[in-house]
Amino acid sequence: MRFIKNSSSSSSSSSSNDALLGIMLLLVMSFFHYKGAEAVIKLPGNMTVPAVFAFGDSIVDQGNNNDLKTLVKCNFPPYGKEFKGGIPTGRFSNAKTPPDLIAEELGIKEFLPAYLDPHLEAKDLQTGVSFASGGAGFDPQTAQLASVISLSQQIEMFKKYINQLKGIVGEEKANFIIANGIHLVVAGSDDIANTYYTIGIRRAQYDINAYTDLMVSSASDFIQKNCSFQCASNGCVPSQRTLGGGPARVCAENYNQAARLANMKLSSQIDYIRQKYPQSRVTYVEIYDPLFDLIQNPQNYGFEVVDRGCCGTGDIEVVILCNKYTETCPDDTKFLFWDSYHPTEKGYKILVQQILQKYINNFL
């Protein structure tokens, strides 16, 4: 992941494009606890974090896909099994996802809603929403294949949101909320796992080196408009073990190599972005190794199963294949993955803690 901190103050005359930069301060999360929806954490230098915004794919989709004509949705049981009494909301997990955890720990609010939630209220807009769409990626083809909301469309939604926010709280306060909020972007895994390898639509045009160049170019462009990017070790995700790991379902090493290559290339773009936006502070947060360590050393974290998801056989069930007719494991806290692609809430919490411990000093 990458986080951008805007060191310049926002004013009522700031343009929408300037406001898109915002600040990226996910790393303060583990040091605070939920204090209610009205709480705003005070950070060094009298900085405040009034809102959280999420962009990207299913890891941070809070339900935006629910009413789309797509197979990439999960607003049905057993998704949300441990979420507010077992309510499926469109979150791709058994309970809370990273945007919820971030908003909760910062004391902003307990749950971060989807921007397209039909029950969204004006007060929800003031503290942040998710624009993410499961199945999206930095490659425009990725969202098209899944019939979901692309990253460029998410940015357009964000611009619409900014105008709505200005109508609610006024231009000056809206600019402050945008410029001082957390902007979280998670994308890239679907590009590699689905568009390039599983479906293979890009392999006739690009080798993996050229394709990761395409991804990083698109990611860099998006970052300069907004926020961050990181590919996790998706070759060890249960579904990719099944599809690319052979009879023994080992980690699909070609998937992992592609993720490492994309991350390495993207990291090299940081200096350029720092030079282009000297008013912003950019930090690259590496997520590949922490996830890989959970998979390789599950006993250190209280997990018993890391090669299968809790839902069904755990080998391939995800989205519509993980449904009310599919049995789930009796204790999901023993599983790193909820379905064959997405971690459990416990898995997310452990990953977040590891990242915070390593990078918190970058923002103090």
Side-chain angles (χ1 to χ4, degrees):
M1 294 179 185
R2 187 180 286 127
F3 307 94
I4 301 175
K5 175 185 174 183
N6 189 337
S7 58
S8 61
S9 60
S10 175
S11 67
S12 60
S13 62
S14 298
S15 69
S16 295
N17 288 335
D18 290 335
L20 292 179
L21 283 176
I23 60 170
M24 302 299 285
L25 289 172
L26 173 62
L27 302 183
V28 300
M29 171 181 150
S30 68
F31 290 82
F32 304 101
H33 302 281
Y34 182 64
K35 299 178 181 178
E38 300 302 317
V40 176
I41 297 300
K42 298 293 183 181
L43 298 175
N46 294 320
M47 186 186 301
T48 60
V49 179
V52 174
F53 307 99
F55 305 82
D57 59 26
S58 57
I59 301 299
V60 289
D61 181 354
Q62 306 296 86
N64 286 312
N65 280 12
N66 288 355
D67 293 324
L68 298 184
K69 293 182 178 179
T70 177
L71 297 178
V72 188
K73 61 176 68 178
C74 58
N75 55 336
F76 45 79
Y79 286 95
K81 184 169 173 282
E82 274 76 49
F83 188 89
K84 295 179 66 174
I87 301 173
T89 61
R91 288 168 170 81
F92 290 75
S93 188
N94 62 309
K96 292 179 181 178
T97 56
D100 297 313
L101 298 172
I102 295 166
E104 181 179 19
E105 292 292 337
L106 283 171
I108 298 171
K109 53 187 173 185
E110 189 173 5
F111 306 106
L112 193 81
Y115 178 63
L116 298 181
D117 184 341
H119 304 295
L120 201 66
E121 299 180 7
K123 63 179 181 180
D124 296 317
L125 294 176
Q126 298 178 51
T127 48
V129 292
S130 171
F131 303 92
S133 178
F138 284 106
D139 180 351
Q141 284 286 327
T142 301
Q144 291 179 25
L145 289 169
S147 299
V148 298
I149 306 167
S150 68
L151 268 291
S152 61
Q153 290 172 322
Q154 291 178 36
I155 286 293
E156 292 305 311
M157 288 165 58
F158 186 39
K159 291 178 180 178
K160 179 180 178 182
Y161 157 83
I162 292 173
N163 289 330
Q164 289 177 283
L165 186 64
K166 288 179 179 179
I168 296 170
V169 301
E171 186 170 357
E172 183 174 358
K173 186 173 181 179
N175 285 337
F176 174 84
I177 291 171
I178 299 300
N180 293 279
I182 293 174
H183 299 241
L184 171 66
V185 175
V186 179
S189 291
D190 287 321
D191 295 322
I192 293 173
N194 298 329
T195 307
Y196 193 80
Y197 280 115
T198 303
I199 299 174
I201 192 171
R202 287 296 202 182
R203 275 187 286 175
Q205 302 170 274
Y206 304 94
D207 60 18
I208 192 59
N209 187 55
Y211 187 63
T212 52
D213 283 343
L214 170 68
M215 288 176 59
V216 171
S217 176
S218 298
S220 180
D221 181 64
F222 186 82
I223 291 161
Q224 292 176 63
K225 292 178 180 177
N226 206 356
C227 319
S228 67
F229 165 67
Q230 171 68 231
C231 290
S233 50
N234 53 30
C236 292
V237 167
S239 61
Q240 304 314 314
R241 288 176 181 264
T242 301
L243 296 172
R249 296 186 67 252
V250 297
C251 292
E253 185 55 28
N254 55 339
Y255 290 53
N256 286 342
Q257 289 176 353
R260 288 192 294 265
L261 182 62
N263 289 340
M264 179 185 68
K265 290 179 178 181
L266 188 71
S267 181
S268 70
Q269 294 290 311
I270 289 180
D271 288 341
Y272 167 76
I273 295 174
R274 283 173 175 161
Q275 292 173 9
K276 188 171 182 178
Y277 297 101
Q279 80 281 12
S280 298
R281 182 169 61 188
V282 183
T283 300
Y284 183 81
V285 178
E286 202 279 311
I287 191 66
Y288 181 99
D289 287 340
L291 177 57
F292 195 70
D293 188 56
L294 262 66
I295 292 169
Q296 294 296 308
N297 302 290
Q299 67 282 353
N300 294 343
Y301 306 96
F303 293 115
E304 295 181 7
V305 183
V306 296
D307 62 345
R308 293 182 292 106
C310 173
C311 187
T313 65
D315 293 346
I316 199 66
E317 290 87 352
V318 64
V319 293
I320 62 171
L321 296 179
C322 177
N323 53 59
K324 64 181 180 180
Y325 303 107
T326 310
E327 293 185 4
T328 57
C329 63
D331 186 357
D332 53 53
T333 64
K334 296 179 180 179
F335 283 67
L336 173 58
F337 292 97
W338 164 246
D339 56 23
S340 69
Y341 202 85
H342 305 95
T344 56
E345 180 185 79
K346 179 181 176 180
Y348 282 134
K349 284 183 176 179
I350 293 174
L351 285 170
V352 165
Q353 290 296 323
Q354 288 194 358
I355 292 170
L356 295 177
Q357 289 173 10
K358 184 175 181 180
Y359 293 100
I360 185 63
N361 289 334
N362 290 28
F363 291 89
L364 295 179

